[in-house]
Amino acid sequence: MKRYLICALFAVAMLLMSAPAKAQFTIDRVEAKKESINFTTADTLKQTTADMSYFSRARYRAERAAIRKERNTLEITSGLQGTLTSYNDPWVDVSGGDNSIAVVANLYLYHKFTKNLFSVETKFEGKFGYNRMKVEMPMYDTSGEPMVDEAGNAIMDRSGVWFKNQDEFAVQISPSWKMSKNWSYGATFKFRTQIANGYVSRTEQERKDLKSSFMTPGYLDLSVGLKYACPSKKFPIKVDLSPLALSAVYANNSWIRREQHDAEGNRIKKAFNYGIEDPDKSSKYEGGSSIQLDFDRTFGKSGYLRYRTTLFSFWGWITNLGLDNKVKRWDDYHAALKEWDGNIKTKPRLPIHPTVRWENTIDIKATKFLTTSLSFQLYYNRAQNSSIQTKTLLSVGLSYTFKNK
């Protein structure tokens, strides 16, 4: 019986295994299981080297160039003017005339550096010119006697002689610190002298005729005070007011500064001391006040006309206070001078008068490279000459101006 029951259960089990199985599940709600996760972060970052290919040199240079252009204002003007006149002998025999050459070169430089409230201006101006003309000078033999022809007429040398007509260069440096829109305070340094030797005339160019050279004379002006700049572009005037100023004159060449005599005691050259009365001294310093006015304007859209002027005046009132043997009246001075014993320490002296220097330049541009220039200078210094000195120059020639703005 048991055996039949086991066989029946085995048969049912085999039947169930051979039939396909099906099941269905229904999920009504699933709850998320809450779990906590612990993690840590690093306190430091990993260091890596920067590649230089990320730095643009072209951009850096462009930015630096823009900054330099903004802070710096530069102007350079150079010019060369000249004239040539030539005649042949038949023309001279009929109409007369002298062959001549005149050449004048000039250079003007202006630079201004500005950073925040500080600025410094630098000016340089140089002029140098020579002319050559045919002059008649007597010829001498080996013994020093004038040479004559068979008729007894003096034999003349009609060769050309070079003689300078322009020789001056000046430097001015003016640092300043801006206080307001139009006012600032600062200082001014000015130096002026010449380069080549100067002689009495074109026919007298020996050593005994020497009257000027480098640093004979030389001028130095130092001043401290207030500066005013007019904001109007139509009237760009600048005024320097210096309550404290120093003016110096130099004459380093003792041969020029002193009176020269020959072995027999005859005077062969008078003294050119340029206001330095003591022959043992090569410089003179005076203290006082100064004022300077500058005007520089260009007219027209193309800048065909430009006018520049500078008026400078110095008065040595501080030196006047301590001046010995001072005589105020001109007549009293001449009377005291006649009674003077020759000792330089006791020489009567007139009070120091204000010196005045007025420079004007007008440039008219016909083209970019052709310019007509007219310059006029007025100078008064009673210590050197009681009369007013003037100089006028009109020239036409080549000129070129460079500006970075």
Side-chain angles (χ1 to χ4, degrees):
M1 185 71 179
K2 289 183 180 179
R3 188 170 55 180
Y4 289 109
L5 182 61
I6 292 173
C7 290
L9 291 175
F10 178 75
V12 172
M14 292 297 293
L15 181 64
L16 291 175
M17 291 179 62
S18 62
K22 296 181 179 180
Q24 182 176 357
F25 297 91
T26 301
I27 302 176
D28 294 335
R29 183 178 180 182
V30 178
E31 293 183 359
K33 185 178 181 181
K34 297 181 180 178
E35 295 182 359
S36 60
I37 302 174
N38 296 326
F39 64 92
T40 59
T41 59
D43 294 336
T44 59
L45 298 176
K46 184 179 179 180
Q47 296 183 356
T48 59
T49 58
D51 191 357
M52 291 301 293
S53 61
Y54 293 101
F55 175 74
S56 176
R57 290 187 176 274
R59 181 177 179 180
Y60 173 77
R61 291 175 180 174
E63 291 176 350
R64 296 300 301 175
I67 294 174
R68 286 194 299 267
K69 186 175 182 180
E70 181 182 357
R71 293 179 177 177
N72 294 272
T73 302
L74 178 63
E75 177 185 350
I76 302 175
T77 301
S78 60
L80 181 64
Q81 296 85 29
T83 59
L84 171 63
T85 306
S86 178
Y87 309 92
N88 63 357
D89 292 338
W91 184 286
V92 175
D93 293 339
V94 176
S95 304
D98 292 323
N99 298 338
S100 64
I101 301 174
V103 180
V104 177
N106 59 76
L107 176 64
Y108 174 77
L109 185 147
Y110 172 80
H111 177 261
K112 182 177 181 181
F113 173 79
T114 303
K115 184 178 182 181
N116 299 329
L117 300 178
F118 174 77
S119 65
V120 56
E121 290 185 354
T122 303
K123 293 181 181 180
F124 173 84
E125 188 166 8
K127 298 178 180 179
F128 189 81
Y130 259 104
N131 57 17
R132 184 181 187 272
M133 293 188 66
K134 183 182 292 186
V135 296
E136 293 187 355
M137 299 179 61
M139 298 183 64
Y140 299 92
D141 55 19
T142 55
S143 61
E145 296 294 329
M147 299 178 62
V148 296
D149 56 16
E150 296 179 355
N153 299 320
I155 300 177
M156 307 298 292
D157 181 11
R158 294 180 175 84
S159 60
V161 176
W162 287 97
F163 188 75
K164 72 174 184 177
N165 54 12
Q166 291 277 328
D167 186 9
E168 181 181 41
F169 73 90
V171 180
Q172 176 178 323
I173 302 175
S174 302
S176 61
W177 189 272
K178 201 168 186 178
M179 296 187 302
S180 62
K181 182 179 180 181
N182 302 323
W183 287 90
S184 59
Y185 59 88
T188 300
F189 166 87
K190 296 175 62 177
F191 175 74
R192 177 168 52 92
T193 187
Q194 62 181 26
I195 301 174
N197 292 336
Y199 297 91
V200 175
S201 66
R202 67 178 69 253
T203 59
E204 299 171 298
Q205 298 194 46
E206 298 181 4
R207 188 169 185 266
K208 63 182 181 64
D209 306 315
L210 190 64
K211 63 182 302 184
S212 64
S213 64
F214 177 73
M215 287 300 293
T216 306
Y219 303 94
L220 175 65
D221 296 295
L222 299 174
S223 58
V224 178
L226 300 176
K227 300 176 181 291
Y228 171 79
C230 182
S232 175
K233 293 183 178 181
K234 294 184 178 180
F235 193 69
I237 189 171
K238 298 179 181 179
V239 182
D240 291 355
L241 303 174
S242 303
L244 297 178
L246 171 70
S247 180
V249 182
Y250 301 94
N252 293 343
N253 194 318
S254 61
W255 172 268
I256 299 174
R257 189 177 67 250
R258 295 173 179 267
E259 189 177 77
Q260 303 296 331
H261 301 81
D262 57 14
E264 299 177 355
N266 301 318
R267 192 182 77 168
I268 59 175
K269 188 190 77 67
K270 69 176 185 178
F272 297 97
N273 54 25
Y274 296 96
I276 306 174
E277 297 182 343
D278 192 344
D280 295 329
K281 294 183 178 180
S282 60
S283 60
K284 182 180 69 172
Y285 298 89
E286 296 175 352
S289 302
S290 68
I291 181 173
Q292 178 171 321
L293 284 74
D294 293 285
F295 182 88
D296 187 351
R297 183 184 172 185
T298 302
F299 299 86
K301 294 183 179 180
S302 61
Y304 70 94
L305 177 64
R306 182 179 183 182
Y307 174 60
R308 289 179 290 148
T309 182
T310 299
L311 176 62
F312 174 78
S313 180
F314 171 82
W315 181 38
W317 61 272
I318 296 178
T319 304
N320 271 340
L321 296 176
L323 193 64
D324 297 332
N325 312 316
K326 182 169 58 178
V327 182
K328 294 184 178 180
R329 295 182 56 188
W330 184 263
D331 295 337
D332 296 341
Y333 170 75
H334 277 282
L337 198 61
K338 292 180 180 179
E339 300 177 359
W340 177 47
D341 58 359
N343 186 1
I344 193 65
K345 304 297 183 183
T346 60
K347 183 179 179 179
R349 303 179 186 275
L350 288 167
I352 299 173
H353 275 208
T355 61
V356 178
R357 186 174 180 88
W358 186 28
E359 301 179 357
N360 299 268
T361 303
I362 299 176
D363 296 325
I364 304 174
K365 279 193 171 184
T367 64
K368 184 178 180 181
F369 300 101
L370 186 61
T371 304
T372 300
S373 297
L374 173 64
S375 65
F376 172 77
Q377 293 186 7
L378 182 148
Y379 186 45
Y380 173 73
N381 188 342
R382 196 178 70 169
Q384 300 179 9
N385 196 315
S386 58
S387 301
I388 296 176
Q389 308 172 45
T390 61
K391 181 180 68 173
T392 305
L393 176 65
L394 175 63
S395 60
V396 180
L398 299 176
S399 178
Y400 179 75
T401 300
F402 167 79
K403 293 183 178 181
N404 69 333
K405 291 184 180 180

